[in-house]
Amino acid sequence: MLSTILYLLWALITVRADQKLQPDEVNTVTPPEETFPWSQPRLPTSIKPEHYFLSVHPDVGSDSFTGQVRILITVVNDTSFIILNSKDLVIQEATLLGLSVPSLIYQEARPVQSQMLHRANVAQEKLVKQPMALRVLESEATEQLALLMDTPLVAGHKYQLSLSYSGKFSDSNSGIYKASYRTPADAAPRTIVATHFEPSAARKAFPCFDEPSMKAVFSLVVVRRSEHISLSNMPKLHTEAIEDGLEQDYYQTSVRMSSYLVAFVICDYAVNSAETKRGVKVSVFAANHLINQTHYALQSAVEIMDIYEQLFQIAYPLPKLDLVAVPDVEAVGTESWGLVTFREASLLYQEQRESRRSRLRVSLLTAHELAHQWFGNLVTMHCWRDVWLKEGFASYLEHIAVRHLKPDWCVVS
């Protein structure tokens, strides 16, 4: 009964991934090249993203990263420009490729020999024409790119938008950032790379339609050095060695989700794993000398997942869930789907040395971020002005979960 009431209320004030966007209220006309053609902070809805093929190479030894993204888009209304989000990125190239028919169905990306990504299955239909170079304008005030073309895009048709770009690691824990830690046996600091895209920082990692309602599926490739591992939202498909001691990890295509939920981590961590009753693999990653402090968080996460699945009567839709302890971060926790990052002190717990209050802290925070795997990730607010909805639900549900987890603690909502 509780789950039914919660989801009925949530459905009244949110949108699901498959909800159709409304047409723009403004006419899309070909603008002069020197004028940015869009004046609103929200993106137009003339373009709908369907599938991102993203390859990113964060250079751990420097302060920069490079990337390529191909976005399969559907044109909702005729338009002569594409508006999407970008912040602090340098666009090297932008092209557009038309597809032969609007009914083309794409399948999961497969590994290719080049560092870039995608091979779509076009058994009956084929890509046509040559890629069209796009003129690029940028609005720093609205964190948007305008991609201009000479030939208008036709409603109902599909296109492939390709962009090559570079950027700098974030100075804050927003976008792609670096963190460091030391081990007792090694005086030199070790560096990891992590992401935090909420509320609107995916645009600092790759050009995208960075609004919660513009959901799509994502196929990710992460390039890293061979001594590291990478993690992302979905399980890894396979690894391919490339030049200069680098390897690239190919990940399964994600469920349909908002851009702010995309996540990856590059690290040299150890792992502690278990399974839920339904067989979902739950793993906690931490520095090797801290891995013995992850047992309580792992046990709590597994039990909380079982509690939520029983409470909501909706199965967690991903095959795995990773929790990662990140040093020196501002946010105590993030909710990225399938890959949740935590401040080290918010996830680790030392048996026999810390109090029940410390266990309560770990339990509540874990329950909060896992509640978002349903409230926020599966069902999402339409835009960022309604972020209080998902946070309010998660704050309420964390206490319900911990009451089930530890009834003798007498936790109240």
Side-chain angles (χ1 to χ4, degrees):
M1 178 62 71
L2 174 61
S3 61
T4 302
I5 294 173
L6 289 175
Y7 267 85
L8 284 175
L9 175 60
W10 189 265
L12 291 173
I13 49 182
T14 56
V15 293
R16 278 193 173 271
D18 56 357
Q19 181 171 331
K20 294 183 178 180
L21 299 173
Q22 297 300 315
D24 299 336
E25 296 180 358
V26 297
N27 294 324
T28 54
V29 296
T30 305
E33 288 188 26
E34 66 276 7
T35 303
F36 198 85
W38 187 254
S39 60
Q40 303 300 315
R42 297 280 301 279
L43 298 177
T45 56
S46 52
I47 301 294
K48 180 182 178 181
E50 302 285 355
H51 196 151
Y52 291 78
F53 297 90
L54 172 63
S55 175
V56 60
H57 177 197
D59 187 350
V60 177
S62 74
D63 293 326
S64 64
F65 59 89
T66 57
Q68 294 176 295
V69 62
R70 295 181 184 175
I71 312 173
L72 304 181
I73 60 174
T74 297
V75 179
V76 178
N77 301 313
D78 292 356
T79 181
S80 295
F81 55 82
I82 300 171
I83 307 294
L84 69 165
N85 295 112
S86 175
K87 182 178 181 181
D88 301 330
L89 298 178
V90 178
I91 307 299
Q92 272 96 33
E93 184 180 26
T95 61
L96 189 70
L97 188 63
L99 305 182
S100 59
V101 294
S103 60
L104 193 64
I105 298 175
Y106 294 93
Q107 295 184 353
E108 183 177 291
R110 303 295 181 187
V112 290
Q113 291 300 317
S114 66
Q115 180 175 325
M116 195 44 201
L117 340 119
H118 117 281
R119 187 182 71 191
N121 182 352
V122 287
Q124 296 181 354
E125 298 101 342
K126 296 181 179 179
L127 298 177
V128 296
K129 304 180 181 179
Q130 292 298 313
M132 176 197 318
L134 301 174
R135 303 188 302 277
V136 181
L137 297 179
E138 183 175 4
S139 171
E140 292 186 4
T142 58
E143 301 176 359
Q144 293 173 351
L145 291 179
L147 307 177
L148 312 181
M149 68 285 300
D150 296 326
T151 304
L153 305 184
V154 180
H157 283 255
K158 295 182 183 290
Y159 298 82
Q160 176 184 275
L161 174 63
S162 301
L163 299 106
S164 300
Y165 64 94
S166 62
K168 299 288 186 181
F169 286 116
S170 173
D171 293 332
S172 64
N173 301 132
S174 173
I176 303 177
Y177 65 91
K178 295 196 296 185
S180 61
Y181 71 96
R182 298 176 187 271
T183 70
D186 190 355
R190 301 189 181 194
T191 301
I192 73 169
V193 172
T195 59
H196 185 189
F197 293 161
E198 185 186 0
S200 55
R203 66 191 67 179
K204 298 169 70 173
F206 60 102
C208 57
F209 299 85
D210 199 14
E211 294 188 359
S213 62
M214 290 192 167
K215 293 187 175 185
V217 297
F218 294 81
S219 297
L220 185 63
V221 177
V222 178
V223 181
R224 56 169 175 81
R225 297 204 61 82
S226 57
E227 63 266 26
H228 292 129
I229 63 170
S230 74
L231 307 168
S232 189
N233 306 85
M234 300 296 291
K236 186 165 58 178
L237 283 170
H238 95 296
T239 298
E240 181 180 286
I242 52 178
E243 71 282 351
D244 300 326
L246 297 175
E247 296 180 350
Q248 51 190 10
D249 295 328
Y250 292 82
Y251 286 90
Q252 292 180 18
T253 299
S254 74
V255 296
R256 193 168 182 83
M257 64 185 188
S258 304
S259 53
Y260 79 93
L261 297 174
V262 175
F264 59 85
V265 172
I266 297 175
C267 62
D268 59 353
Y269 280 179
V271 60
N272 190 8
S273 299
E275 287 189 355
T276 67
K277 291 178 180 178
R278 202 171 52 81
V280 176
K281 184 178 180 181
V282 179
S283 302
V284 180
F285 291 83
N288 194 279
H289 67 288
L290 299 175
I291 197 65
N292 62 346
Q293 300 179 30
T294 63
H295 300 297
Y296 181 73
L298 177 61
Q299 177 188 355
S300 298
V302 168
E303 294 183 26
I304 289 168
M305 290 285 284
D306 289 333
I307 290 168
Y308 282 152
E309 288 198 331
Q310 182 178 4
L311 181 65
F312 304 145
Q313 292 295 296
I314 295 176
Y316 174 72
L318 276 63
K320 64 91 176 176
L321 173 68
D322 296 335
L323 290 71
V324 184
V326 181
D328 303 325
V329 291
E330 298 170 3
V332 293
T334 68
E335 67 210 52
S336 302
W337 223 346
L339 179 62
V340 185
T341 58
F342 295 83
R343 186 188 298 167
E344 271 185 358
S346 301
L347 188 66
L348 305 180
Y349 174 77
Q350 300 184 65
E351 297 286 351
Q352 310 302 325
R353 295 186 60 181
E354 296 189 60
S355 65
R356 177 183 292 185
R357 186 177 186 86
S358 297
R359 282 195 292 166
L360 176 62
R361 180 196 67 231
V362 173
S363 300
L364 285 173
L365 181 58
T366 302
H368 182 99
E369 301 305 340
L370 298 194
H372 281 310
Q373 305 297 300
W374 285 265
F375 290 93
N377 299 3
L378 181 63
V379 186
T380 311
M381 64 278 164
H382 188 273
C383 61
W384 285 114
R385 68 169 178 260
D386 297 324
V387 69
W388 62 273
L389 291 169
K390 71 180 182 69
E391 293 302 329
F393 272 85
S395 296
Y396 172 66
L397 288 165
E398 70 184 55
H399 291 87
I400 291 179
V402 174
R403 279 211 305 271
H404 283 78
L405 184 68
K406 299 290 184 181
D408 58 313
W409 288 1
C410 301
V411 173
V412 295
S413 301

